[in-house]
């Protein structure tokens, strides 16, 4: 039996329907992301599911009990809610804020007992906040505060956690931290999690199932690979995207196609497909410059978690990623070579080469042998970055014989502007 049943609900704040005929079920132990453009009704759906708003049509039930018929205290023991914004003007201590989560459980006298404090303790421990318990809520960073609000909901010991954009104001590291925490709660404690998210890729990576709303109607429901198709996204968000099906996490990744690409990029620049070999932050600025000039980019192979890998993620650049701290495998090298061959040209950033990533140079040589143009930034000084005992230098010498060129970043820019990729102006 489904835990949650949303049966054909319609909801309006005033005259206009904000949700229309939404019908879905959520199983216990699921981790669901609610997606959709601004104003599509995501927050409203979450509020209807929490019992805060009552739909004009249809019904919502939790384990076959209509949510409005469950007394508020009991409802709060079942459902923990993390709202979009929490206003806490009074400088409560973190521990006091988390203890507020116990209120629905307190007896007649409203005093916290030993057992309540155990839940508070556990919620603080789970969210990694034990050491900060005596700080006031205003002495916490955005990420710690958000974890505190989640801890308050966990102290309720609920079966379901509903969260409205839990990471919207956090930087990328805290975003990942919160999603990892939720994933653990879902996997280890079996907590059912339903959250509203703005970020398609985070939701794709972490959620088991997704709900896509389109102007108050249910557009799609199911696992990410069924919901996040380029057609669905185009229809709902009105943007062109590429869906990368083979991201290293096995979940689809959405890459926005910059509109200037379709219009031919910046003035005087012919947009090209460029494959970049980077790593360790060596290509981050290069990627940004090439992207803003309107080129279509790919990167790799790099290790997951590497600065350039993260940079590519932020810029929605296709990337071949190996698992952290592993040598780049033959499989990933083959994918890299495929990308190089598909590109118009290959650029190798000032990457230090070691045993783990030297394969990228072998792939660049193979691409040259297939007739691809390869440019190496500061190629002549590759010896300073060669930590393989000389293999990188040898490969570079071999690459030169096949037409690879050393360039400065300025020269590269000039070459891309003038279409002078092989040292001679292209004849039109
Ligand atoms: P989302 O979370 O997808 O951005 P919301 O559920 O917040 O969407 O809002 C859906 C629609 O309902 C929007 O058009 C919004 O302006 C409207 N709306 C939201 N809250 C209220 C409210 N309290 N009163 C009136 N209209 C509201």
């Amino acid at each position: 039996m489904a835990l949650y049943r949303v049966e054909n609900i319609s909801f309006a704040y005033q005259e206009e329907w904000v949700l229309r005929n939404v019908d879905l079920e959520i199983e216990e132990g699921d981790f669901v992301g609610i997606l959709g453009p601004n104003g599509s009704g995501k927050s409203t759906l979450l509020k209807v599911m929490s019992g805060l708003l009552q739909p004009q049509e249809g019904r919502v039930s939790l384990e076959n009990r209509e949510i409005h018929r469950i007394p508020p205290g009991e409802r709060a023991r079942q459902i923990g809610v993390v709202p979009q914004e929490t206003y806490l003007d009074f400088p409560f201590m973190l521990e006091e804020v988390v203890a507020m989560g116990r209120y629905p459980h307190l007896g007649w006298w409203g005093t916290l007992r030993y057992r309540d404090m155990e839940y508070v303790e556990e919620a603080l421990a789970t969210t990694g906040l034990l050491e900060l318990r005596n700080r006031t809520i205003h002495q916490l960073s955005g990420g710690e505060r958000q974890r505190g609000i989640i801890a308050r909901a966990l102290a309720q010991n609920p079966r379901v956690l509903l969260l409205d954009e839990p990471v919207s104001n956090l930087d990328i590291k805290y975003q990942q931290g919160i999603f990892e925490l939720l994933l653990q709660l879902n996997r280890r404690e079996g907590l059912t999690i339903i959250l509203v998210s703005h970020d398609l890729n985070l939701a794709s990576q972490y959620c088991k199932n997704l709900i896509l709303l389109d102007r108050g109607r249910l557009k799609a429901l199911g696992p990410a690979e069924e919901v996040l198709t380029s057609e669905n996204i185009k229809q709902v968000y009105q943007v062109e995207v590429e869906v990368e099906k083979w991201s290293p996490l096995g979940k689809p990744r959405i890459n926005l196609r910059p509109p200037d690409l379709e219009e031919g990029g910046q003035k005087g620049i012919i947009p090209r497909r460029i494959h970049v070999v980077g790593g360790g932050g060596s290509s981050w600025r290069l990627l940004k410059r090439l992207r803003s000039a309107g080129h279509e980019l790919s990167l790799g192979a790099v290790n997951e978690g590497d600065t350039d890998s993260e940079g590519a993620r932020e810029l929605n650049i296709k990337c071949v990623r190996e698992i952290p701290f592993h040598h780049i495998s033959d499989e990933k090298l083959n994918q890299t070579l495929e990308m190089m061959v598909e590109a118009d040209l290959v650029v190798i950033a000032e990457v230090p080469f070691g045993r783990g990533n030297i394969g990228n140079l072998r792939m660049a040589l193979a691409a040259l042998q297939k007739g691809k143009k390869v440019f190496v930034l500061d190629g002549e000084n590759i010896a300073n970055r060669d930590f393989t005992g000389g293999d990188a230098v040898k490969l570079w010498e071999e690459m030169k014989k096949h037409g690879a060129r050393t360039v400065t970043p300025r020269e590269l820019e000039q070459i891309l502007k003038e279409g002078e990729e092989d040292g001679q102006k292209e004849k039109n």
Side-chain angles (χ1 to χ4, degrees), residues 224-239:
E225 42 294 6
E226 286 172 23
V227 172
L228 296 180
T229 62
S230 52
E231 300 83 67
N232 276 349
I233 293 168
K234 186 173 178 181
Q235 280 175 25
V236 173
Y237 289 88
Q238 270 110 46
V239 286

Side-chain angles (χ1 to χ4, degrees), residues 13-14 18 37-44:
Y13 289 97
Q14 280 126 23
V18 169
N38 289 335
S40 57
K42 303 182 293 295
S43 291
T44 305

Side-chain angles (χ1 to χ4, degrees), residues 200-252:
L200 303 184
N201 284 326
L202 270 175
S204 165
Q205 186 177 335
Y206 285 96
C207 298
K208 280 188 207 159
N209 285 297
L210 299 175
I211 291 170
L212 180 61
L213 290 181
D214 181 15
R215 286 163 294 168
R217 288 176 188 270
L218 185 65
K219 172 76 189 170
L221 163 68
E225 42 294 6
E226 286 172 23
V227 172
L228 296 180
T229 62
S230 52
E231 300 83 67
N232 276 349
I233 293 168
K234 186 173 178 181
Q235 280 175 25
V236 173
Y237 289 88
Q238 270 110 46
V239 286
E240 295 280 351
V241 294
E242 277 168 16
V243 179
E244 198 183 320
K245 293 213 173 82
W246 46 266
S247 97
L249 299 153
K251 297 291 185 88

Side-chain angles (χ1 to χ4, degrees), residues 111-128:
T111 42
L112 291 163
R113 296 182 209 182
Y114 181 72
R115 205 167 136 260
D116 296 306
M117 286 320 292
E118 277 187 333
Y119 278 111
V120 172
E121 195 82 12
E122 201 180 311
L124 284 166
T126 309
T127 48

